[in-house]
Amino acid sequence: MAVTNSSATCNGLFIISLLGIVSSLFGTSSAQLNATFYSGTCPNVSAIVRSTIQQALQSDPRIGASLIRLHFHDCFVNGCDGSLLLDDSATIQSEKNAVPNANSTRGFNVVDDIKTALENACPGIVSCSDILALASEASVSLAGGPTWTVLLGRRDGLTANLSGANTGLPSPFEGITNITAKFTAVGLNTTDVVVLSGAHTFGRAACATFNNRLFNFNGTGSPDPTLNSTLLSSLQQLCPQNGNASVVTNLDLSTPDAFDNNYFTNLQSNNGLLQSDQELLSDTGSPTIPIVTSFASNQTQFFEAFVLSMIKMGNISPLTGSSGEIRQDCKVVNGQSTTQAIELRSGSAEKAVNLAEM
């Protein structure tokens, strides 16, 4: 495993430490995941995932951030089983319709492109849940972040959990206590909260995710006092009251498409875009404050911690062995008609439009 900006000696020690930590943290469930799972059945899997994302980046510079978010939102609900990718069907209520995901999660088309390429190279071998894990690593690496050896062997779930997505996913409007509780519920800790929030070092966010800070924060009639005044002014122009809530802006003001530690230095200037971001540093007495401060001054430390947290997250309740399946199409469970799913999805979209017109 290579970690960007680390010496060979440090990398060697870090790998030994990492293997020990992963083994102790995940025990039997993760022991069934391994780095060479596809070495005999689909040896080019990582290269195929990476090249497909490279192509997508040519026309969509934010796609890497979108793909890692899919992995995050998948793992927090039912574990890392690809359930987020499933469309509505006669028996499935898609997690894509959950409040944290609707009109927000994106990149499903690139996941489909990766799956098509893999099915052409090694049909019926690579799971959609493993695609999300591999795509996350490739996206971070291609943006200048660390690279790591992804543990593989997940299988795809047979159902989705809409209610779980509505209640279990962290919200940009929540405080540190609530967010930490949701991380704890899936086996992660306070350090993981800070580390994985650092993925907001690239990508975009819509006005709807932060306009609560701009005019009437928590019913005070005033903006969020922890928001930098210069940033506040520009955001108020971008996202006026009763304006278009789907307009997007950069999560990281300084290097919006690069994976680095500027996310944390931005917080030190009160330039965190989301309430949940800035509270990592501005919530007085929070145990997250020294972690933010440390990462702001040491990018290598952040990168090494990010690798550990991504591996931990990728090992949340994976399906292995004979559990689940290897989906032929990430949008539907095997044996279900894609046409049926499309028709049901269209019906849901029409219903959403009708409700919007009410």
Side-chain angles (χ1 to χ4, degrees), residues 270-345:
N270 284 348
N271 281 320
L273 182 64
L274 308 179
Q275 175 186 340
S276 57
D277 290 333
Q278 191 59 52
E279 284 202 7
L280 294 175
L281 188 64
S282 299
D283 187 12
T284 304
S286 172
T288 60
I289 293 174
I291 307 172
V292 170
T293 303
S294 180
F295 290 160
S297 64
N298 191 329
Q299 179 167 278
T300 297
Q301 185 181 42
F302 166 52
F303 279 8
E304 292 180 346
F306 188 80
V307 168
L308 280 174
S309 290
M310 285 299 294
I311 292 174
K312 284 178 66 177
M313 187 184 77
N315 280 278
I316 297 174
S317 305
L319 298 175
T320 58
S322 60
S323 300
E325 64 181 14
I326 305 299
R327 281 186 218 139
Q328 298 171 347
D329 180 341
C330 292
K331 299 184 296 296
V332 296
V333 296
N334 294 342
Q336 179 187 317
S337 166
T338 304
T339 301
Q340 179 191 22
I342 291 173
E343 289 174 349
L344 283 163
R345 186 167 69 252

Side-chain angles (χ1 to χ4, degrees), residues 78 81-84 86 91-93 95 157-161 327 333:
N78 282 12
D81 66 347
S83 59
L84 172 60
L86 290 170
T91 57
I92 291 172
Q93 289 183 299
E95 293 171 21
L158 304 176
T159 188
N161 186 352
R327 281 186 218 139
V333 296

